Amino acid sequence: MALNLIKLCVGADSVEDLEEWIAERLEEHRRKGEPVEQYHTTRMVPTRAAEIINSGSLYWVIKGSVQCRQRIVDIRPFRDAEGIGRCHLVFDPLVVRTRWQPRRAFQGWRYLKTSDAPADLGGGKHRVGEIPPKLRQELADLGLL
């Protein structure tokens, strides 16, 4: 069974902000001749990495609600220049919108069981991603998303 992570997306006001940030970072890697991949650096290494890699996702909490996720393709522990243990969570750069799920603020990341994770939003007749971000937030605040 897949295991996921959940984390606050600090600095992003919307899924669109996150997508823009990802595109900028990928382009920056291209310009520098570095591997073109998206990752997030964290201090703690998930002890259950084998349950997460290639089958789990990181669910992003934006403005108090889970709004999207990214599939985790690798977890790479390393030591930084000061010798402190850190970890790169490497993602598929595709951002998948999810049903909004309210979450209180917390520090770091947490494990998230698949059964507790919000469902993906399909592209069918309910294209929530096409609703302007401000209106999506208002609808979510009213419990309509």
Side-chain angles (χ1 to χ4, degrees):
M1 176 186 263
L3 184 63
N4 305 292
L5 299 177
I6 185 169
K7 181 167 182 20
L8 299 182
C9 191
V10 178
D13 289 327
S14 66
V15 176
E16 291 79 7
D17 279 353
L18 175 61
E19 290 171 328
E20 288 174 22
W21 186 89
I22 291 167
E24 289 170 7
R25 293 294 130 344
L26 293 176
E27 183 56 34
E28 185 178 313
H29 289 303
R30 266 188 214 91
R31 281 194 311 271
K32 291 180 176 180
E34 299 172 347
V36 180
E37 61 184 12
Q38 190 221 343
Y39 58 85
H40 176 75
T41 304
T42 182
R43 193 169 44 98
M44 303 301 293
V45 179
T47 57
R48 299 173 66 183
E51 297 173 70
I52 298 169
I53 297 172
N54 287 321
S55 59
S57 292
L58 183 117
Y59 285 77
W60 288 111
V61 177
I62 301 173
K63 294 292 184 185
S65 292
V66 175
Q67 296 185 31
C68 61
R69 69 176 179 85
Q70 287 182 273
R71 191 171 59 86
I72 298 172
V73 296
D74 202 3
I75 296 175
R76 299 180 189 147
F78 69 97
R79 294 217 174 265
D80 67 12
E82 290 83 38
I84 298 170
R86 303 221 183 265
C87 174
H88 283 153
L89 302 174
V90 184
F91 306 117
D92 179 329
L94 175 68
V95 175
V96 178
R97 284 168 166 53
T98 64
R99 292 187 180 269
W100 284 30
Q101 185 182 74
R103 288 288 174 144
R104 289 195 172 123
F106 58 92
Q107 290 185 335
W109 52 262
R110 302 283 185 266
Y111 290 113
L112 178 66
K113 294 186 285 185
T114 301
S115 60
D116 295 333
D120 292 351
L121 289 176
K125 64 179 183 175
H126 302 292
R127 295 190 166 164
V128 175
E130 294 176 5
I131 299 173
K134 186 175 179 182
L135 180 56
R136 275 198 321 255
Q137 181 66 52
E138 290 174 8
L139 291 170
D141 291 345
L142 292 170
L144 299 173
L145 279 184

